[in-house]
Amino acid sequence: MQHPVNDEFQNLNVKALLQDVIQHLERCMDTYEGDATYANVRPSDTKMFMSISSEPRTISQLARTLNISRQAAHASIGRLVDWGVVELKPAEGSRRDKIAVVTQEGEKARDLEAQRINFAKLNVEARIGKEKIRMLCEILREILQAPPPAGD
């Protein structure tokens, strides 16, 4: 028998629950039968691409944002460059730093990913309804707006 505190923690573990939901959505997206050109991209590269898509940044800034090493960020960006979805441009005021930006091919990839994401959303919506999806999005945006606690 598990300890009641552990049961309560497991039931209220928001981080684990969100990770499980993400995995569920990714499995759902994998069943999408549309253009799957970018379906086998590493999850870490997808995360990097999404970060670049939201705001072009230097490799160092992306590494800090994603809480990964600069070396890991560079490797991920290198793979995205090889796919032709991202390019590196010189950063203003720096001869060394480069800014990762989405290419035209990257825009197409983003559109394809949006179709896969919408497919997963519609699947979940069919189960829980539009109103609960709207409420969930509202709650998640509220969480994102809360500042993280100050460190010691």
Side-chain angles (χ1 to χ4, degrees):
M1 181 170 134
Q2 282 193 318
H3 194 276
V5 174
N6 289 340
D7 288 344
E8 183 178 349
F9 175 77
Q10 283 304 104
N11 290 332
L12 299 176
N13 186 342
V14 175
K15 181 179 178 182
L17 187 57
L18 287 172
Q19 288 173 334
D20 289 348
V21 168
I22 288 168
Q23 288 172 354
H24 174 81
L25 292 173
E26 287 172 349
R27 284 191 303 272
C28 183
M29 289 166 58
D30 288 344
T31 66
Y32 179 66
E33 294 181 2
D35 186 335
T37 304
Y38 301 101
N40 294 320
V41 174
R42 296 176 187 200
S44 59
D45 293 346
T46 300
K47 197 172 182 181
M48 178 63 75
F49 181 74
M50 289 176 6
S51 292
I52 294 166
S53 294
S54 69
E55 179 185 346
R57 293 173 258 199
T58 66
I59 295 171
S60 297
Q61 290 169 328
L62 288 162
R64 279 191 302 275
T65 298
L66 296 172
N67 199 27
I68 59 175
S69 70
R70 193 177 189 289
Q71 183 180 5
H74 201 277
S76 181
I77 291 167
R79 288 187 294 272
L80 294 172
V81 168
D82 290 345
W83 278 79
V85 296
V86 166
E87 65 183 339
L88 293 172
K89 293 188 173 184
E92 203 172 303
S94 173
R95 290 188 305 197
R96 201 179 128 222
D97 244 349
K98 304 281 186 217
I99 294 178
V101 296
V102 175
T103 63
Q104 278 190 304
E105 183 63 27
E107 294 292 340
K108 291 177 192 173
R110 190 170 25 198
D111 290 345
L112 289 172
E113 188 65 5
Q115 291 172 20
R116 294 177 73 234
I117 290 168
N118 191 52
F119 175 78
K121 179 192 146 252
L122 291 173
N123 180 279
V124 173
E125 194 176 273
R127 288 179 156 179
I128 68 171
K130 283 185 179 185
E131 183 58 22
K132 286 185 179 176
I133 291 282
R134 187 194 62 72
M135 287 174 18
L136 175 61
C137 290
E138 206 172 283
I139 290 166
L140 293 173
R141 282 189 199 96
E142 196 172 315
I143 290 170
L144 287 173
Q145 291 174 356
D152 290 315

